[in-house]
Amino acid sequence: MLRGRDLVALADLSGEEILYLLETAQAMKEVLTRDIKKVPTLRGKTVVNLFFEPSTRTRTSFEIAGKRLSADVVNFSAATSSLTKGETLKDTARNIEAMVVDAVVVRHKASGAVRYLARELDVPVINAGDGSHEHPTQGLLDIFTIKERKGSVEGLKVAIAGDITHSRVARSDIHGLLKLGCQVVVVGPPTMVPPDVERLGVSVSSSVEEVLGEVDVVIMLRIQMERQSSPLFPSLREYSRYFGLNMEKLKDVSRDLLIMHPGPVNWGVELSPEVAYHPRNVILDQVTNGVAVRMAVLYALIGG
Ligand code: CP
């Protein structure tokens, strides 16, 4: 269904294609429970991780995912590359492609950089997060985790709270969840919510406390300080008070609420440290599922 294509954005996929990737990820998750967590599916294929921005979860899990499928995985280091001598992004990517690789996984700080490379390269390009645009595999692993815990996603109500304007995760989650029949409410200070966000099909609230009682899932976001040119809120303390999650706010909510966060978490800002031990916190499940989802994406694009 997706063989040979790029994965730049969940906005580009149909609901059927998203469900296919989630089903494939379910099969991949079974592989990860075996004593020998490796299958020969991508033997002879080469995947290059081209990360121009820092990452812990995405880069490591793409590497593990490729290796679990027996692909050769190469991690490109921007800091020690010829980018430091002035080589362009396009030349860098085309030279990597000339080494006869099968897929490149790209993270870049500029929104649109991955779509640009996808047009320039013949091999499948997978978006590992571009600026404030999209982070499609994070969106897929978030939806996979919700589906795993809730049985299905259709009809669920999901809150996404925090720095919506600068969050590529928010955008991928919104596109993916809406395509699978969820309702989405975004929550944040007006300075961190795009004025036309309702055009995406979501509703808007300015109080985390207000939405907690009416949603099945809350996805908390990190404040993207690196993408803000000037401060968008008076202080971290004030932000945390109105838009953070703590045990006090959680004390009356449904036992079925899922608490999610893409990571890295600023403990004490968007989540109080005690929430790390809350029974409804599935943040590390998201990380575990990230490997299965990325195996599914690599298989779908370059397998066979
Ligand atoms: N969620 C996420 O993208 O984390 P990393 O920045 O560590 O990859």
Side-chain angles (χ1 to χ4, degrees):
M1 189 185 264
L2 295 167
R3 197 137 296 150
R5 280 172 53 184
D6 305 301
L7 176 58
V8 177
L10 289 194
D12 299 341
L13 299 189
S14 65
E16 193 188 5
E17 288 165 337
I18 292 172
L19 284 174
Y20 164 73
L21 287 171
L22 297 178
E23 277 162 27
T24 309
Q26 191 60 54
M28 295 301 175
K29 190 153 181 186
E30 187 276 320
V31 172
L32 300 176
T33 63
R34 299 179 191 168
D35 283 345
I36 297 172
K37 302 171 186 55
K38 201 170 177 105
V39 287
T41 315
L42 296 186
R43 196 165 53 197
K45 306 275 185 185
T46 303
V47 177
V48 181
N49 281 331
L50 278 178
F51 277 58
F52 301 95
E53 248 195 354
S55 167
T56 296
R57 282 147 288 269
T58 312
R59 200 184 82 152
T60 310
S61 61
F62 261 115
E63 181 174 356
I64 293 173
K67 287 178 173 170
R68 296 280 189 247
L69 293 171
S70 302
D72 295 313
V73 183
V74 177
N75 288 313
F76 164 89
S77 163
T80 56
S81 74
S82 291
L83 283 164
T84 59
K85 296 180 237 168
E87 191 165 27
T88 64
L89 172 66
K90 176 176 159 181
D91 277 346
T92 302
R94 292 194 67 200
N95 277 267
I96 298 286
E97 185 184 41
M99 294 173 205
V100 198
V101 304
D102 297 284
V104 292
V105 180
V106 183
R107 170 170 288 191
H108 201 281
K109 69 177 183 196
S111 304
V114 181
R115 176 95 59 202
Y116 167 70
L117 287 186
R119 289 200 191 105
E120 292 295 330
L121 304 187
D122 292 330
V123 296
V125 173
I126 301 168
N127 187 357
D130 62 324
S132 305
H133 172 225
E134 275 222 34
H135 191 349
T137 56
Q138 181 71 46
L140 289 169
L141 74 89
D142 288 349
I143 299 168
F144 183 92
T145 305
I146 296 170
K147 193 165 182 282
E148 183 175 60
R149 288 295 187 125
K150 298 281 190 186
S152 78
V153 290
E154 193 176 352
L156 295 181
K157 190 161 183 185
V158 179
I160 305 176
D163 186 359
I164 308 295
T165 301
H166 297 100
S167 175
R168 53 200 179 203
V169 175
R171 247 163 290 284
S172 287
D173 282 343
I174 289 169
H175 287 299
L177 289 166
L178 292 179
K179 283 178 186 207
L180 297 188
C182 291
Q183 284 181 64
V184 178
V185 53
V186 297
V187 189
T191 49
M192 290 187 179
V193 176
D196 57 349
V197 72
E198 279 133 323
R199 286 172 54 190
L200 294 178
V202 302
S203 55
V204 180
S205 170
S206 54
S207 164
V208 167
E209 227 164 341
E210 207 172 278
V211 300
L212 279 182
E214 60 189 55
V215 297
D216 303 287
V217 179
V218 60
I219 302 174
M220 303 299 292
L221 301 172
R222 182 175 68 86
I223 303 171
Q224 309 269 304
M225 295 291 196
E226 70 275 27
R227 297 186 219 290
Q228 296 182 7
S229 46
S230 57
L232 295 176
F233 50 91
S235 70
L236 284 177
R237 195 153 159 255
E238 193 159 323
Y239 178 87
S240 175
R241 186 163 154 210
Y242 291 104
F243 300 102
L245 210 49
N246 58 28
M247 298 304 264
E248 176 60 25
K249 290 181 192 172
L250 286 166
K251 76 177 176 359
D252 293 328
V253 301
S254 149
R255 289 172 55 79
D256 291 336
L257 178 78
L258 293 186
I259 303 166
M260 302 176 65
H261 192 300
V265 179
N266 291 309
W267 295 107
V269 181
E270 61 266 17
L271 293 175
S272 71
E274 305 78 45
V275 178
Y277 306 101
H278 195 287
R280 306 306 302 167
N281 163 353
V282 294
I283 296 171
L284 290 179
D285 292 14
Q286 291 173 260
V287 177
T288 303
N289 291 335
V291 176
V293 160
R294 288 168 179 132
M295 287 169 76
V297 166
L298 289 173
Y299 168 72
L301 269 51
I302 63 168

